[in-house]
Amino acid sequence: MAARATLHCLTGCAIGEVLGMVIGTAAGLHNAATVPLAIALAFVFGYALTMRGVLRAGLPVRQALKVALAADTVSIAVMELIDNVVMVGVPGAMDAGLSQALFWLSLAFSLVLAFVLTTPVNRWMIGRGKGHAVVHAYH
């Protein structure tokens, strides 16, 4: 269950993270602008993906947002910490262009590592009725 929850969360995070990194890199933004952009978009897409399912279950928008915040905040935060530490930590990854393998391989590696390291966090939270356990009532 934790791996599925992490994969679900990673899907939204990855959309935002990749989009933020691509926009920042294509626009030639400094790392100090690209990283916060990627983080912000990861949270937006991560929450949106969860809210989509919760809204389909019939919850009003305000309540769906509360569920998404409770379900995803810790998971997204851990993933984003890992993603961005890897991207900033791999020499040249943030300066590589979109046509360079270093950029894409570093980004892919950061997402795989985020999945591996966030799954135990989600498992711990689900075991305590927190995180993605909150969403299961609406599936």
Side-chain angles (χ1 to χ4, degrees):
M1 184 185 321
R4 284 185 30 211
T6 305
L7 186 57
H8 179 269
C9 193
L10 181 65
T11 302
C13 279
I15 292 168
E17 179 74 19
V18 171
L19 186 59
M21 288 291 172
V22 167
I23 290 169
T25 300
L29 298 178
H30 189 275
N31 295 352
T34 300
V35 170
L37 175 63
I39 291 169
L41 289 174
F43 273 95
V44 167
F45 280 93
Y47 290 143
L49 192 61
T50 295
M51 283 186 64
R52 186 184 73 176
V54 175
L55 288 169
R56 270 190 287 179
L59 264 67
V61 173
R62 187 179 182 113
Q63 194 172 355
L65 180 58
K66 287 180 182 180
V67 169
L69 290 171
D72 291 339
T73 299
V74 172
S75 184
I76 294 171
V78 171
M79 285 184 192
E80 285 308 295
L81 176 67
I82 296 163
D83 288 342
N84 288 288
V85 164
V86 169
M87 285 302 291
V88 171
V90 172
M94 292 292 291
D95 297 322
L98 297 178
S99 63
Q100 295 179 322
L102 178 60
F103 174 84
W104 293 105
L105 291 173
S106 298
L107 190 52
F109 174 70
S110 76
L111 294 170
V112 169
L113 188 61
F115 174 80
V116 169
L117 296 178
T118 306
T119 299
V121 172
N122 282 330
R123 182 175 183 205
W124 181 82
M125 289 180 14
I126 289 168
R128 282 150 188 76
K130 309 274 187 215
H132 280 270
V134 175
V135 175
H136 290 279
Y138 303 104
H139 288 288

